[in-house]
Amino acid sequence: MGETQVTAQEGRSTAGSSPIAAEAAPGTAAASSTPPPASGKSGRLSRLRSLRTPGSPRLWFEILLIAVSYWLYSLVRNAVPEQKAAALRNADWIWSAEKSLGLAFEESVNHAVNSVTWLIVSMNYYYATLHFVVTIGVLVWLFRRHPGRYAATRLVLFATTAVALLGYYLYPLAPPRLMNGANFIDTVLVHETWGSMASGNFKNMSNQYAAMPSMHIGWSLWCGLTIFALASVPWARVLGLLYPTLTLVVIVATANHFWLDAVGGMACLAFGYAVSRVWYGSLPHRLPKWVPGTAKGRLTGLRAARLPRPSSEPEPKPEAEPATPGASSVPR
């Protein structure tokens, strides 16, 4: 039944249409305004846009993805033929090129640091462990504190690693410690560092001639730039910049890489950022911190989160509806 209103000027009653009937009536404007499901080209574009929009990361999926990705990375990296002769020739060429530039300082750093036993042993363990520990730690931090930027930043890391595999295949390179006729000290063997992939039986599980590019630099610089761009406290940002710098010193002092290997790692990282920028339309640190529509994003107000109002805060008074000029409502 319609709602009755009495108009003062006209002195007669008029019956309006029932809102319930209007909603239930077939063929109404509300029903016809529902957009049809996307199909064909528009449907594919819609699905592509959804893939390129950062979503909420799922813990189980991320653990599985990282585990499988690292397994594939290790499998492919170690499946690259160990072209020893080509790797040694390339190492001689790199060393000669650095000498011609006047920047062949790796041997001096290697001998100087090796003379301090506690320092070189610490660097050996640094090289063997922090490469993984810090990278995983940054991924966990992103997952918990910056979920809206997690997928884009993870894509940088994955794309960087993928293009590095191509470098291992196309340009086998022996590290300085394995060069023939050079005076480098293999610090891992001399000081018997446990757990290194370059010592004992572990060296048979890893491709010893995959030094270019250096993923120790690629991954550490990814960690450092991510922390510097997203950390809120100054000391954390400083540590973010110090981490790849110290890693560069370590890879040179332990004779595991030339400094030009570090340049290769930086180039791979630049490629990774370019891929993420093209896919998501923005650099990772410029994306929203939280994914829109997630629980954290909704905790912006008491009403939106349906949380109890503190007892010290009075209940808001309901606002009175504005009266229509010249008209009065008559109850049925």
Side-chain angles (χ1 to χ4, degrees):
M1 182 172 62
E3 186 179 25
T4 304
Q5 293 182 340
V6 177
T7 307
Q9 289 88 343
E10 296 179 342
R12 66 177 184 273
S13 63
T14 59
S17 59
S18 170
I20 299 177
E23 292 179 3
T28 60
S32 62
S33 63
T34 303
S39 60
K41 184 177 181 180
S42 61
R44 290 192 294 271
L45 290 176
S46 178
R47 286 192 294 271
L48 179 61
R49 282 194 297 269
S50 65
L51 290 174
R52 297 178 65 182
T53 302
S56 300
R58 296 177 176 86
L59 181 59
W60 68 267
F61 176 78
E62 294 302 326
I63 294 175
L64 180 63
L65 179 64
I66 292 172
V68 171
S69 299
Y70 183 74
W71 175 75
L72 289 175
Y73 164 74
S74 300
L75 185 67
V76 174
R77 181 180 185 272
N78 297 330
V80 174
E82 290 195 4
Q83 306 175 45
K84 182 177 180 179
L88 291 173
R89 285 196 305 270
N90 291 335
D92 291 336
W93 186 90
I94 291 286
W95 188 230
S96 299
E98 291 186 353
K99 285 182 177 179
S100 65
L101 293 172
L103 295 173
F105 52 78
E106 291 93 337
E107 186 176 306
S108 299
V109 175
N110 174 237
H111 282 261
V113 178
N114 184 71
S115 63
V116 184
T117 302
W118 68 266
L119 181 58
I120 192 60
V121 170
S122 300
M123 287 190 173
N124 285 341
Y125 283 110
Y126 179 111
Y127 185 88
T129 58
L130 290 191
H131 179 52
F132 307 102
V133 174
V134 176
T135 303
I136 293 175
V138 173
L139 284 170
V140 172
W141 174 65
L142 285 169
F143 182 89
R144 291 178 57 86
R145 303 299 298 272
H146 298 267
R149 298 160 178 160
Y150 176 86
T153 315
R154 182 198 61 197
L155 178 59
V156 174
L157 183 65
F158 280 27
T160 299
T161 306
V163 74
L165 291 173
L166 187 62
Y168 299 147
Y169 183 83
L170 297 177
Y171 196 78
L173 180 66
R177 58 185 175 80
L178 295 182
M179 289 179 63
N180 292 327
N183 195 29
F184 287 97
I185 300 172
D186 192 336
T187 61
V188 170
L189 293 180
V190 170
H191 299 282
E192 299 180 350
T193 304
W194 180 86
S196 171
M197 298 301 290
S199 65
N201 294 328
F202 287 103
K203 65 182 180 181
N204 298 322
M205 300 169 56
S206 177
N207 186 354
Q208 299 296 300
Y209 302 105
M212 172 67 84
S214 169
M215 280 298 93
H216 273 76
I217 291 298
W219 287 12
S220 66
L221 189 57
W222 173 86
C223 293
L225 292 177
T226 300
I227 294 171
F228 179 79
L230 301 181
S232 57
V233 292
W235 62 264
R237 302 179 71 187
V238 172
L239 286 179
L241 295 181
L242 287 178
Y243 175 55
T245 304
L246 183 56
T247 301
L248 176 60
V249 175
V250 168
I251 67 172
V252 170
T254 56
N256 279 291
H257 288 282
F258 298 99
W259 66 263
L260 280 176
D261 300 343
V263 175
M266 294 176 189
C268 291
L269 182 64
F271 172 81
Y273 274 108
V275 170
S276 182
R277 171 67 175 81
V278 170
W279 184 254
Y280 287 102
S282 177
L283 290 174
H285 69 279
R286 294 179 178 172
L287 294 171
K289 180 177 180 179
W290 303 103
V291 179
T294 60
K296 185 69 176 180
R298 287 195 297 267
L299 293 177
T300 56
L302 295 173
R303 180 179 297 179
R306 289 186 173 89
L307 297 177
R309 185 174 298 277
S311 58
S312 59
E313 183 177 342
E315 289 288 339
K317 296 181 180 180
E319 298 180 359
E321 297 182 0
T324 304
S328 60
S329 176
V330 178
R332 291 176 294 174

